[in-house]
Amino acid sequence: NSAAAYLMGDEPREALRRFEELFAAHPAELKLAWRAAYVHALLAVDQARKALPHIRELARAYEGAKKSQWQEILLAQYMQLEMSAEALAYATDLTRTAPENPKWWKALVHIQLSAGSNEDALAALIVYAFLTPLSPEEQKLLADLYLQSEIPLKAAPFYEACLKAAPDRQLLRRLVTAYRQLGRNQTALERIEHFGVAAGDAELMMLRAELLYALHHYDRAAEAFRCAARID
């Protein structure tokens, strides 16, 4: 009770002393709730590495919602401590033991991205998309990963959906890139013309000029190149 009071009174260092006295005096009576409070005290004083064995025990011992909560805390600590191998192994294990839980797939996406494994991140994000509706930012990420993985056919519809919700020049450039990779120059040109934003954007105007040139509209292409030069 003394340890808990110090913890609630925002004196975690004093709480740690009391907890350690408690554990030394009564090792056989250690309760999960005591261990959980001890972890919170350790995290409050930036001793996350010392807390890890206790977090692992809590994630192993609890069941149901509390188990999931401590699994999430453990994974977050691995990521914050830049323990990349441990984070990847644990997130992968969580997606195998509870594949229906979207938060483990989302965590795996971020871990794979941090490791530069874009194709693995794409695979995890595809599974995540089956389990829960994607936010606009997640749709953009999925489109980008498809494009980076040279799958423009899958990237284009997501870029289209994002642009329909909120026009964005950067996304339009990526959509145009996807259509160009598919050899659909006319569609790419139509998308630029539809949004009508090339006039003040040198890069988009250059893309428009290149598309017009590829489609043999040379007079229009020349004028578009001149416009791009005037903009920048």
Side-chain angles (χ1 to χ4, degrees), residues 188-205:
L189 179 61
E190 288 169 1
R191 301 317 290 149
I192 291 179
E193 303 287 7
H194 172 77
F195 287 99
V197 294
D201 187 303
E203 187 175 347
L204 277 172
M205 186 59 75

Side-chain angles (χ1 to χ4, degrees), residues 156 160 175-185 187-188 191:
E160 290 278 15
L175 175 63
V176 168
T177 299
Y179 281 134
R180 292 182 78 184
Q181 289 180 4
L182 290 167
R184 295 174 60 182
N185 288 337
T187 304
R191 301 317 290 149

Side-chain angles (χ1 to χ4, degrees), residues 16 19-20 23 33-43 50 54:
L16 285 174
F19 277 123
E20 285 160 6
F23 298 163
W34 298 355
R35 193 189 291 269
Y38 181 58
V39 166
H40 289 303
L42 286 169
L43 295 179
K50 188 174 179 180
H54 301 280

Side-chain angles (χ1 to χ4, degrees), residues 64-85:
K66 281 194 173 182
K67 183 180 190 70
S68 180
Q69 177 188 3
W70 284 104
Q71 288 173 327
E72 193 168 359
I73 291 171
L74 178 56
L75 184 57
Q77 291 306 314
Y78 281 146
M79 294 169 70
Q80 288 175 20
L81 292 168
E82 298 182 355
M83 298 171 68
S84 303

